[in-house]
Amino acid sequence: SLEKGGSVSENALLLMDVMKIRRVRYDTITFNAAISVHCESGEWKEALQLLGVMAESRVDSSIITSCAAITACEKTGEWSNALKLCSRVMETNAKADIVMFSAAISACEKGDRW
């Protein structure tokens, strides 16, 4: 069950575990929400791990997914990972947007790579 004292990101992962146990299929929206929670918490490693789980689960990502992961990197100045994610988006011919580029630029600034 969800813990009253648990962090939002911990509870999001617990909820995903419950979904798995109950055989509720993850979809893009599920992952977007979980990655966004990690983004808000500044947990870039966890956000990137969820991108990996998403790929392993063969769930298609969206530009929203990528932007959330890039924003998680931006919040902590993880400029290298932010730029790698931007490159992946552009390689897949996904429609990049201003949010993605702004987050990547901000990650470079925060990482003193401006």
Side-chain angles (χ1 to χ4, degrees):
S1 68
L2 297 179
E3 299 177 23
K4 288 183 182 179
S7 71
V8 174
S9 58
E10 288 171 340
N11 285 334
L13 291 177
L14 283 172
L15 186 56
M16 288 186 77
D17 286 342
V18 169
M19 290 175 68
K20 186 175 185 177
I21 291 167
R22 294 193 178 189
R23 294 190 174 109
V24 175
R25 196 170 154 89
Y26 300 147
D27 61 11
T28 304
I29 295 170
T30 306
F31 280 102
N32 287 354
I35 291 169
S36 292
V37 166
H38 288 298
C39 168
E40 292 301 316
S41 302
E43 299 170 338
W44 67 272
K45 288 181 184 177
E46 292 82 355
L48 296 185
Q49 286 174 341
L50 280 176
L51 278 179
V53 171
M54 191 175 190
E56 290 170 8
S57 302
R58 298 180 186 205
V59 175
D60 291 331
S61 64
S62 68
I63 191 64
I64 294 168
T65 311
S66 300
C67 286
I70 292 167
T71 301
C73 294
E74 175 263 333
K75 288 184 179 268
T76 56
E78 286 295 322
W79 63 273
S80 179
N81 287 311
L83 294 180
K84 286 177 189 174
L85 289 169
C86 282
S87 291
R88 284 189 202 154
V89 168
M90 296 175 71
E91 286 171 2
T92 61
N93 295 323
K95 189 173 183 178
D97 66 6
I98 190 73
V99 174
M100 183 187 85
F101 290 118
S102 294
I105 291 168
S106 182
C108 291
E109 177 188 14
K110 288 179 181 174
D112 292 326
R113 297 294 177 174
W114 186 244

